[in-house]
Coordinates of all heavy atoms in Angstrom, one line a residue:
M1 N 0.8 -1.2 0.0 CA 0.0 0.0 0.0 C 0.9 1.2 0.0 O 1.1 1.8 1.0 CB -0.9 0.0 1.2 CG -2.1 -0.9 1.1 SD -3.3 -0.4 2.3 CE -3.4 -1.8 3.3
S2 N 1.3 1.6 -1.1 CA 2.2 2.8 -1.2 C 1.4 4.1 -1.2 O 2.0 5.1 -0.7 CB 3.0 2.7 -2.5 OG 2.1 2.7 -3.6
E3 N 0.2 4.1 -1.6 CA -0.6 5.3 -1.6 C -1.2 5.5 -0.2 O -1.8 4.6 0.4 CB -1.7 5.3 -2.7 CG -2.5 6.5 -2.6 CD -3.0 7.0 -4.0 OE1 -2.5 6.4 -5.0 OE2 -3.7 7.9 -4.0
Q4 N -1.1 6.7 0.3 CA -1.7 7.1 1.6 C -3.2 7.4 1.4 O -3.6 8.0 0.4 CB -1.0 8.3 2.1 CG -1.3 8.6 3.6 CD -0.6 7.6 4.5 OE1 -0.5 6.4 4.2 NE2 -0.2 8.1 5.7
I5 N -4.0 6.9 2.3 CA -5.4 7.1 2.2 C -5.8 8.4 2.9 O -5.4 8.6 4.1 CB -6.2 5.9 2.8 CG1 -5.9 4.6 2.0 CG2 -7.7 6.2 2.8 CD1 -6.2 4.7 0.6
N6 N -6.5 9.3 2.3 CA -7.0 10.5 2.9 C -8.3 10.2 3.6 O -9.3 9.9 2.9 CB -7.2 11.6 1.9 CG -7.7 12.9 2.4 OD1 -8.5 12.9 3.4 ND2 -7.2 14.0 1.9
E7 N -8.3 10.1 4.9 CA -9.5 9.7 5.7 C -10.7 10.6 5.4 O -11.8 10.1 5.2 CB -9.2 9.6 7.1 CG -10.4 9.0 7.9 CD -10.1 8.9 9.4 OE1 -9.0 9.3 9.9 OE2 -11.0 8.5 10.1
R8 N -10.5 11.9 5.4 CA -11.6 12.8 5.1 C -12.2 12.6 3.8 O -13.4 12.6 3.6 CB -11.1 14.3 5.2 CG -10.9 14.7 6.6 CD -10.5 16.2 6.7 NE -10.1 16.5 8.0 CZ -9.3 17.5 8.3 NH1 -8.9 18.3 7.4 NH2 -9.0 17.8 9.6
E9 N -11.3 12.4 2.8 CA -11.8 12.1 1.4 C -12.6 10.8 1.3 O -13.6 10.8 0.7 CB -10.6 12.1 0.5 CG -11.0 12.0 -1.0 CD -9.7 12.0 -1.8 OE1 -9.2 13.1 -2.1 OE2 -9.3 10.9 -2.3
L10 N -12.1 9.8 2.0 CA -12.8 8.5 2.1 C -14.1 8.6 2.7 O -15.1 8.2 2.1 CB -11.9 7.5 2.8 CG -12.6 6.2 3.2 CD1 -12.9 5.4 1.9 CD2 -11.7 5.3 4.1
I11 N -14.2 9.3 3.8 CA -15.5 9.5 4.5 C -16.5 10.3 3.7 O -17.7 10.0 3.6 CB -15.3 10.1 5.9 CG1 -14.6 9.0 6.8 CG2 -16.6 10.5 6.5 CD1 -14.1 9.5 8.1
A12 N -16.0 11.3 3.0 CA -16.8 12.2 2.2 C -17.4 11.3 1.0 O -18.5 11.4 0.6 CB -16.1 13.4 1.7
H13 N -16.5 10.5 0.4 CA -16.9 9.6 -0.7 C -18.0 8.7 -0.2 O -19.0 8.5 -0.9 CB -15.7 8.8 -1.2 CG -16.1 7.8 -2.2 ND1 -16.3 8.0 -3.5 CD2 -16.3 6.5 -2.0 CE1 -16.6 6.9 -4.1 NE2 -16.6 5.9 -3.3
I14 N -17.8 8.0 0.9 CA -18.8 7.1 1.4 C -20.1 7.8 1.7 O -21.2 7.3 1.4 CB -18.3 6.3 2.7 CG1 -17.0 5.5 2.3 CG2 -19.3 5.5 3.3 CD1 -16.3 4.9 3.5
A15 N -20.0 9.0 2.3 CA -21.2 9.7 2.7 C -22.0 10.1 1.4 O -23.2 10.0 1.4 CB -20.9 10.9 3.5
A16 N -21.3 10.5 0.4 CA -22.0 10.9 -0.9 C -22.6 9.6 -1.5 O -23.7 9.8 -2.1 CB -20.9 11.5 -1.8
E17 N -22.0 8.5 -1.5 CA -22.5 7.3 -2.1 C -23.6 6.7 -1.3 O -24.5 6.0 -1.9 CB -21.4 6.2 -2.2 CG -20.3 6.6 -3.2 CD -20.7 6.6 -4.6 OE1 -21.4 5.6 -5.0 OE2 -20.4 7.5 -5.4
T18 N -23.7 6.8 0.0 CA -24.6 6.1 0.8 C -25.6 6.9 1.6 O -26.6 6.4 2.1 CB -23.9 5.3 1.9 OG1 -23.2 6.1 2.8 CG2 -22.9 4.3 1.3
D19 N -25.4 8.2 1.7 CA -26.2 9.1 2.5 C -26.2 8.8 4.0 O -27.0 9.1 4.7 CB -27.7 9.2 2.0 CG -27.8 9.8 0.7 OD1 -27.0 10.8 0.4 OD2 -28.7 9.4 -0.1
A20 N -25.2 8.0 4.4 CA -25.0 7.6 5.8 C -24.4 8.7 6.6 O -23.6 9.6 6.0 CB -24.1 6.4 5.9
D21 N -24.7 8.8 7.8 CA -24.1 9.8 8.8 C -22.6 9.6 8.9 O -22.2 8.4 9.0 CB -24.8 9.6 10.1 CG -24.3 10.6 11.1 OD1 -24.5 11.8 11.0 OD2 -23.6 10.1 12.1
E22 N -21.9 10.7 8.9 CA -20.4 10.5 9.0 C -20.0 9.8 10.3 O -19.0 9.1 10.3 CB -19.7 11.9 8.9 CG -19.7 12.5 7.5 CD -18.9 13.7 7.4 OE1 -18.0 14.0 8.2 OE2 -19.1 14.4 6.4
N23 N -20.7 10.0 11.4 CA -20.3 9.3 12.6 C -20.5 7.8 12.5 O -19.7 7.1 13.0 CB -21.1 9.9 13.8 CG -20.7 11.3 14.2 OD1 -19.5 11.7 14.1 ND2 -21.6 12.1 14.6
L24 N -21.6 7.4 11.8 CA -21.8 6.0 11.6 C -20.7 5.4 10.7 O -20.2 4.3 11.0 CB -23.2 5.8 11.0 CG -23.5 4.3 10.6 CD1 -23.4 3.4 11.8 CD2 -24.8 4.2 9.9
I25 N -20.3 6.2 9.7 CA -19.3 5.7 8.8 C -18.0 5.5 9.6 O -17.4 4.5 9.4 CB -19.1 6.7 7.6 CG1 -20.3 6.8 6.7 CG2 -17.8 6.4 6.8 CD1 -20.3 7.9 5.8
K26 N -17.6 6.5 10.4 CA -16.4 6.3 11.2 C -16.5 5.1 12.1 O -15.5 4.4 12.3 CB -16.2 7.6 12.0 CG -15.8 8.8 11.2 CD -15.6 10.1 12.0 CE -15.3 11.3 11.2 NZ -15.3 12.5 12.0
L27 N -17.6 4.9 12.7 CA -17.8 3.8 13.6 C -17.7 2.4 12.9 O -17.0 1.5 13.3 CB -19.2 3.9 14.3 CG -19.5 2.9 15.4 CD1 -18.5 3.0 16.5 CD2 -20.9 3.1 15.9
V28 N -18.3 2.3 11.7 CA -18.2 1.1 10.9 C -16.8 0.9 10.5 O -16.3 -0.3 10.6 CB -19.2 1.2 9.7 CG1 -18.9 0.1 8.7 CG2 -20.6 1.1 10.1
L29 N -16.1 1.9 10.1 CA -14.7 1.8 9.6 C -13.8 1.4 10.8 O -12.9 0.6 10.6 CB -14.2 3.0 8.9 CG -14.9 3.4 7.6 CD1 -14.3 4.7 7.1 CD2 -14.8 2.3 6.6
K30 N -14.1 1.9 12.0 CA -13.3 1.6 13.2 C -13.4 0.1 13.5 O -12.4 -0.6 13.7 CB -13.7 2.4 14.4 CG -13.0 2.1 15.7 CD -13.6 2.9 16.8 CE -14.7 2.0 17.4 NZ -15.2 2.4 18.7
H31 N -14.7 -0.4 13.5 CA -14.9 -1.8 13.8 C -14.3 -2.7 12.6 O -13.8 -3.8 12.9 CB -16.4 -2.1 14.0 CG -16.9 -1.5 15.3 ND1 -16.3 -1.8 16.5 CD2 -17.9 -0.7 15.6 CE1 -16.9 -1.2 17.5 NE2 -17.9 -0.5 16.9
E32 N -14.4 -2.3 11.4 CA -13.8 -3.0 10.3 C -12.3 -3.2 10.5 O -11.8 -4.2 10.3 CB -14.1 -2.3 9.0 CG -13.5 -3.0 7.8 CD -13.4 -2.1 6.6 OE1 -13.4 -0.9 6.7 OE2 -13.5 -2.7 5.5
Q33 N -11.7 -2.1 10.9 CA -10.2 -2.1 11.1 C -9.9 -3.1 12.3 O -8.9 -3.8 12.1 CB -9.7 -0.7 11.4 CG -8.2 -0.7 11.4 CD -7.6 -1.1 10.0 OE1 -8.0 -0.5 9.0 NE2 -6.7 -2.0 10.0
A34 N -10.7 -3.1 13.3 CA -10.4 -4.0 14.4 C -10.6 -5.4 14.0 O -9.8 -6.3 14.3 CB -11.4 -3.7 15.6
Y35 N -11.5 -5.7 13.1 CA -11.8 -7.1 12.6 C -10.6 -7.5 11.7 O -10.0 -8.6 11.9 CB -13.1 -7.1 11.8 CG -13.4 -8.5 11.2 CD1 -14.1 -9.4 12.0 CD2 -13.0 -8.8 9.9 CE1 -14.4 -10.7 11.5 CE2 -13.3 -10.0 9.4 CZ -14.0 -11.0 10.2 OH -14.3 -12.2 9.7
I36 N -10.2 -6.6 10.9 CA -9.0 -6.9 10.0 C -7.7 -7.1 10.8 O -7.0 -8.0 10.5 CB -8.9 -5.8 8.9 CG1 -10.0 -5.8 7.9 CG2 -7.5 -5.9 8.2 CD1 -10.1 -4.6 7.0
N37 N -7.5 -6.3 11.8 CA -6.3 -6.4 12.6 C -6.3 -7.8 13.3 O -5.2 -8.3 13.6 CB -6.2 -5.3 13.6 CG -5.9 -4.0 13.0 OD1 -5.4 -3.9 11.8 ND2 -6.1 -2.9 13.7
G38 N -7.4 -8.3 13.6 CA -7.5 -9.6 14.3 C -7.5 -10.8 13.3 O -7.4 -12.0 13.8
A39 N -7.5 -10.6 12.0 CA -7.6 -11.7 11.0 C -6.2 -12.3 10.9 O -5.1 -11.6 11.0 CB -8.1 -11.1 9.7
K40 N -6.2 -13.5 10.6 CA -4.9 -14.3 10.4 C -4.4 -14.1 8.9 O -5.2 -14.2 8.0 CB -5.1 -15.7 10.7 CG -5.6 -16.0 12.1 CD -4.5 -16.0 13.1 CE -5.0 -16.4 14.4 NZ -5.3 -15.4 15.4
E41 N -3.1 -14.0 8.8 CA -2.5 -13.9 7.5 C -2.3 -15.3 7.0 O -2.0 -16.3 7.7 CB -1.1 -13.2 7.6 CG -1.2 -11.8 7.9 CD 0.2 -11.1 7.9 OE1 1.2 -11.8 7.7 OE2 0.2 -9.9 8.1
D42 N -2.4 -15.5 5.6 CA -2.1 -16.8 5.0 C -0.6 -16.9 4.8 O 0.2 -16.1 5.2 CB -2.9 -17.0 3.7 CG -2.4 -16.0 2.6 OD1 -1.4 -15.3 2.7 OD2 -3.2 -15.9 1.6
K43 N -0.1 -18.0 4.2 CA 1.3 -18.3 4.0 C 2.0 -17.2 3.2 O 3.2 -17.1 3.2 CB 1.5 -19.6 3.4 CG 0.9 -19.8 2.0 CD 1.1 -21.2 1.5 CE 0.5 -21.3 0.2 NZ 0.0 -22.6 -0.2
N44 N 1.2 -16.4 2.4 CA 1.8 -15.4 1.5 C 1.7 -14.0 2.2 O 2.1 -13.0 1.6 CB 1.0 -15.3 0.2 CG 1.1 -16.6 -0.6 OD1 2.1 -17.2 -0.6 ND2 0.0 -16.9 -1.2
G45 N 1.3 -14.0 3.5 CA 1.2 -12.7 4.2 C 0.0 -11.9 3.9 O 0.0 -10.7 4.2
E46 N -1.0 -12.5 3.2 CA -2.2 -11.8 2.9 C -3.3 -12.2 3.8 O -3.3 -13.3 4.3 CB -2.6 -12.1 1.4 CG -1.5 -11.6 0.4 CD -1.9 -11.9 -1.0 OE1 -2.9 -12.6 -1.2 OE2 -1.2 -11.5 -1.9
V47 N -4.2 -11.3 3.9 CA -5.4 -11.5 4.8 C -6.6 -11.6 3.9 O -6.9 -10.6 3.1 CB -5.6 -10.4 5.8 CG1 -6.9 -10.6 6.6 CG2 -4.4 -10.3 6.8
E48 N -7.4 -12.6 4.0 CA -8.6 -12.8 3.2 C -9.8 -12.5 4.1 O -9.9 -13.2 5.2 CB -8.7 -14.2 2.6 CG -9.8 -14.3 1.6 CD -9.8 -15.6 0.8 OE1 -8.7 -16.1 0.5 OE2 -10.8 -16.2 0.6
I49 N -10.6 -11.6 3.8 CA -11.7 -11.2 4.6 C -13.0 -11.7 3.9 O -13.3 -11.3 2.8 CB -11.8 -9.7 4.8 CG1 -10.5 -9.2 5.4 CG2 -13.0 -9.2 5.6 CD1 -10.2 -9.7 6.8
D50 N -13.9 -12.4 4.7 CA -15.2 -12.8 4.2 C -16.1 -11.6 4.5 O -16.3 -11.3 5.7 CB -15.6 -14.1 4.9 CG -17.0 -14.5 4.4 OD1 -18.0 -13.9 4.9 OD2 -17.1 -15.4 3.6
S51 N -16.7 -11.1 3.5 CA -17.6 -9.9 3.7 C -18.8 -10.1 4.6 O -19.2 -9.3 5.4 CB -18.0 -9.3 2.4 OG -18.7 -10.2 1.6
D52 N -19.4 -11.3 4.5 CA -20.5 -11.6 5.3 C -20.1 -11.7 6.8 O -20.9 -11.2 7.7 CB -21.2 -13.0 4.9 CG -21.8 -12.9 3.5 OD1 -22.3 -11.8 3.1 OD2 -21.9 -13.9 2.8
E53 N -19.0 -12.3 7.1 CA -18.5 -12.4 8.4 C -18.2 -11.0 9.0 O -18.4 -10.7 10.1 CB -17.3 -13.3 8.5 CG -17.6 -14.8 8.3 CD -16.4 -15.7 8.3 OE1 -15.3 -15.2 8.7 OE2 -16.6 -16.9 7.9
L54 N -17.6 -10.2 8.1 CA -17.3 -8.8 8.5 C -18.5 -8.0 8.9 O -18.6 -7.4 9.9 CB -16.5 -8.1 7.4 CG -16.2 -6.6 7.6 CD1 -15.4 -6.4 8.9 CD2 -15.4 -6.1 6.4
V55 N -19.5 -8.1 8.0 CA -20.8 -7.4 8.3 C -21.4 -7.9 9.6 O -21.9 -7.1 10.4 CB -21.8 -7.6 7.1 CG1 -23.2 -7.1 7.5 CG2 -21.2 -6.8 5.9
D56 N -21.4 -9.2 9.8 CA -22.0 -9.8 11.0 C -21.2 -9.3 12.3 O -21.8 -9.0 13.3 CB -22.0 -11.3 11.0 CG -23.0 -11.9 10.0 OD1 -23.9 -11.2 9.6 OD2 -22.8 -13.1 9.7
Y57 N -19.9 -9.3 12.1 CA -19.1 -8.7 13.2 C -19.4 -7.3 13.6 O -19.6 -7.0 14.8 CB -17.6 -8.8 12.9 CG -16.7 -8.2 13.9 CD1 -16.3 -8.9 15.0 CD2 -16.2 -6.9 13.7 CE1 -15.4 -8.3 15.9 CE2 -15.4 -6.3 14.6 CZ -15.0 -7.0 15.7 OH -14.2 -6.4 16.7
I58 N -19.5 -6.5 12.6 CA -19.8 -5.0 12.8 C -21.2 -4.9 13.4 O -21.4 -4.1 14.3 CB -19.7 -4.2 11.5 CG1 -18.2 -4.2 11.0 CG2 -20.3 -2.8 11.6 CD1 -18.0 -3.7 9.7
L59 N -22.2 -5.6 12.9 CA -23.6 -5.5 13.4 C -23.7 -6.1 14.8 O -24.6 -5.7 15.6 CB -24.5 -6.3 12.5 CG -24.8 -5.7 11.1 CD1 -25.6 -6.6 10.2 CD2 -25.5 -4.3 11.3
G60 N -22.7 -6.9 15.2 CA -22.7 -7.5 16.5 C -22.1 -6.5 17.6 O -22.2 -6.8 18.8
R61 N -21.5 -5.4 17.2 CA -21.0 -4.5 18.1 C -22.2 -3.7 18.7 O -23.0 -3.2 18.0 CB -20.0 -3.5 17.4 CG -18.8 -4.0 16.7 CD -17.9 -4.9 17.5 NE -18.4 -6.3 17.3 CZ -18.1 -7.3 18.2 NH1 -17.4 -7.1 19.2 NH2 -18.6 -8.5 17.9
P62 N -22.2 -3.5 20.1 CA -23.3 -2.9 20.7 C -23.5 -1.4 20.4 O -24.6 -0.9 20.5 CB -23.0 -3.1 22.2 CG -21.5 -3.4 22.3 CD -21.1 -4.0 21.0
D63 N -22.5 -0.8 19.9 CA -22.6 0.7 19.6 C -23.0 0.9 18.1 O -23.3 2.1 17.8 CB -21.3 1.4 19.9 CG -20.1 0.9 19.2 OD1 -20.2 -0.3 18.7 OD2 -19.1 1.6 19.2
V64 N -23.2 -0.1 17.3 CA -23.6 0.0 15.9 C -25.1 -0.1 15.8 O -25.7 -1.2 16.1 CB -22.9 -1.0 15.0 CG1 -23.4 -0.9 13.6 CG2 -21.4 -0.8 15.1
K65 N -25.8 1.0 15.5 CA -27.2 1.0 15.4 C -27.5 1.3 13.9 O -27.8 2.4 13.5 CB -27.9 2.1 16.2 CG -27.5 2.0 17.7 CD -28.1 0.8 18.4 CE -27.8 0.8 19.9 NZ -27.2 -0.4 20.4
A66 N -27.4 0.3 13.1 CA -27.6 0.4 11.6 C -28.1 -0.9 11.1 O -28.0 -1.9 11.7 CB -26.3 0.8 10.9
S67 N -28.8 -0.8 9.9 CA -29.2 -2.0 9.3 C -28.1 -2.7 8.5 O -27.0 -2.1 8.3 CB -30.3 -1.6 8.2 OG -29.8 -1.0 7.1
E68 N -28.3 -3.9 8.2 CA -27.3 -4.7 7.5 C -27.1 -4.0 6.1 O -25.9 -4.0 5.7 CB -27.8 -6.1 7.3 CG -26.9 -7.0 6.5 CD -27.3 -8.5 6.5 OE1 -28.3 -8.9 7.2 OE2 -26.7 -9.2 5.7
L69 N -28.1 -3.6 5.5 CA -28.0 -2.9 4.2 C -27.1 -1.7 4.2 O -26.3 -1.4 3.4 CB -29.3 -2.6 3.6 CG -30.2 -3.8 3.1 CD1 -31.5 -3.3 2.6 CD2 -29.5 -4.5 2.0
T70 N -27.3 -0.9 5.3 CA -26.5 0.3 5.5 C -25.0 0.0 5.7 O -24.1 0.6 5.1 CB -27.0 1.2 6.7 OG1 -28.4 1.5 6.4 CG2 -26.2 2.4 6.9
V71 N -24.7 -1.0 6.5 CA -23.3 -1.4 6.8 C -22.7 -1.9 5.5 O -21.6 -1.6 5.1 CB -23.2 -2.5 7.9 CG1 -21.8 -3.0 8.0 CG2 -23.7 -1.8 9.2
E72 N -23.5 -2.8 4.7 CA -22.9 -3.3 3.5 C -22.7 -2.1 2.5 O -21.6 -2.2 1.8 CB -23.9 -4.3 2.9 CG -23.9 -5.6 3.6 CD -25.0 -6.6 3.1 OE1 -25.9 -6.1 2.2 OE2 -24.9 -7.7 3.4
A73 N -23.6 -1.2 2.4 CA -23.4 0.0 1.5 C -22.1 0.8 1.9 O -21.4 1.2 1.0 CB -24.6 0.9 1.5
I74 N -21.9 1.0 3.2 CA -20.7 1.7 3.6 C -19.4 0.9 3.2 O -18.5 1.5 2.7 CB -20.7 1.9 5.2 CG1 -21.8 3.0 5.5 CG2 -19.4 2.4 5.7 CD1 -22.1 3.1 7.0
L75 N -19.4 -0.4 3.5 CA -18.2 -1.2 3.1 C -18.0 -1.2 1.6 O -16.9 -1.2 1.1 CB -18.4 -2.6 3.7 CG -18.4 -2.6 5.3 CD1 -18.7 -4.0 5.7 CD2 -17.1 -2.1 5.8
D76 N -19.1 -1.3 0.8 CA -19.0 -1.4 -0.6 C -18.5 0.0 -1.1 O -17.6 0.0 -2.0 CB -20.4 -1.7 -1.3 CG -20.8 -3.1 -1.1 OD1 -20.0 -4.0 -0.7 OD2 -22.0 -3.4 -1.3
A77 N -18.9 1.1 -0.6 CA -18.5 2.4 -1.0 C -17.0 2.6 -0.7 O -16.2 3.1 -1.4 CB -19.3 3.5 -0.4
E78 N -16.6 2.0 0.5 CA -15.2 2.1 0.9 C -14.3 1.3 -0.1 O -13.3 1.7 -0.5 CB -15.0 1.6 2.3 CG -13.5 1.5 2.7 CD -13.2 0.6 3.9 OE1 -14.0 -0.3 4.1 OE2 -12.2 0.9 4.6
M79 N -14.8 0.1 -0.4 CA -14.0 -0.7 -1.3 C -13.9 -0.1 -2.7 O -12.8 -0.1 -3.3 CB -14.7 -2.1 -1.5 CG -13.8 -3.1 -2.3 SD -12.1 -3.3 -1.7 CE -12.3 -4.9 -1.0
D80 N -15.0 0.5 -3.2 CA -14.9 1.3 -4.5 C -13.9 2.3 -4.4 O -13.1 2.5 -5.4 CB -16.3 1.9 -4.8 CG -17.3 0.9 -5.1 OD1 -17.0 -0.3 -5.4 OD2 -18.5 1.3 -5.1
Y81 N -13.8 3.1 -3.3 CA -12.8 4.1 -3.2 C -11.4 3.5 -3.2 O -10.5 4.0 -3.9 CB -13.1 4.9 -1.9 CG -12.1 5.9 -1.5 CD1 -12.2 7.2 -2.0 CD2 -10.9 5.6 -0.7 CE1 -11.2 8.2 -1.7 CE2 -10.0 6.6 -0.4 CZ -10.1 7.9 -0.9 OH -9.2 8.8 -0.7
L82 N -11.2 2.5 -2.4 CA -9.9 1.9 -2.3 C -9.4 1.3 -3.6 O -8.3 1.3 -4.0 CB -9.9 0.8 -1.2 CG -10.1 1.4 0.2 CD1 -10.2 0.2 1.2 CD2 -9.0 2.3 0.6
M83 N -10.4 0.7 -4.4 CA -10.0 0.1 -5.7 C -9.7 1.2 -6.7 O -8.7 1.1 -7.4 CB -11.2 -0.7 -6.2 CG -11.3 -2.1 -5.4 SD -12.7 -3.1 -5.9 CE -12.5 -3.3 -7.6
D84 N -10.4 2.4 -6.6 CA -10.1 3.5 -7.5 C -8.7 4.0 -7.2 O -8.0 4.5 -8.1 CB -11.1 4.6 -7.3 CG -12.5 4.3 -7.9 OD1 -12.6 3.4 -8.7 OD2 -13.4 5.0 -7.6
K85 N -8.3 3.9 -5.9 CA -6.9 4.4 -5.5 C -5.9 3.3 -5.8 O -4.7 3.6 -5.6 CB -6.9 4.8 -4.0 CG -7.8 6.0 -3.7 CD -7.2 7.2 -4.3 CE -8.1 8.5 -3.9 NZ -7.6 9.7 -4.5
G86 N -6.3 2.1 -6.2 CA -5.3 1.1 -6.4 C -4.8 0.4 -5.2 O -3.7 -0.2 -5.2
V87 N -5.5 0.6 -4.0 CA -5.0 0.1 -2.8 C -5.5 -1.3 -2.4 O -4.9 -2.0 -1.7 CB -5.3 1.1 -1.7 CG1 -4.8 0.6 -0.3 CG2 -4.6 2.5 -2.0
A88 N -6.7 -1.6 -2.9 CA -7.3 -2.9 -2.6 C -8.0 -3.5 -3.8 O -8.2 -2.8 -4.8 CB -8.3 -2.6 -1.4
G89 N -8.4 -4.8 -3.6 CA -9.1 -5.4 -4.7 C -9.7 -6.7 -4.2 O -9.5 -7.1 -3.0
Y90 N -10.5 -7.3 -5.0 CA -11.2 -8.6 -4.7 C -10.4 -9.7 -5.2 O -9.7 -9.6 -6.2 CB -12.6 -8.6 -5.3 CG -13.6 -7.6 -4.7 CD1 -13.9 -6.5 -5.4 CD2 -14.1 -7.9 -3.5 CE1 -14.8 -5.6 -4.9 CE2 -15.0 -7.0 -3.0 CZ -15.4 -5.8 -3.7 OH -16.3 -5.0 -3.1
V91 N -10.4 -10.8 -4.4 CA -9.8 -12.1 -4.9 C -10.8 -12.9 -5.5 O -11.9 -13.1 -5.0 CB -9.2 -12.8 -3.6 CG1 -8.7 -14.2 -4.0 CG2 -8.2 -12.0 -2.9
D92 N -10.5 -13.4 -6.7 CA -11.4 -14.2 -7.5 C -11.6 -15.6 -6.9 O -10.7 -16.2 -6.4 CB -11.0 -14.4 -8.9 CG -11.1 -13.0 -9.7 OD1 -12.0 -12.2 -9.3 OD2 -10.3 -12.8 -10.6

């Protein structure tokens, strides 16, 4: 990940795509990061994240008051942003 992510730009992008509240976006991203930090790396040093498990994890946090569709929309908009920046992608 050579490109630095501009957090304000990322949040603005997600808010524009989803109409979600910025505080909710920050909360979802915080829990997403905690989930990713706890994930195990494979033999190549990569982390594979199951999106359904991630959404379930985020929805299971007591401070997240959002629907499954909203959380999925936030994560999808984040991934679109990261892919546009060349920082992330999907594994086939």
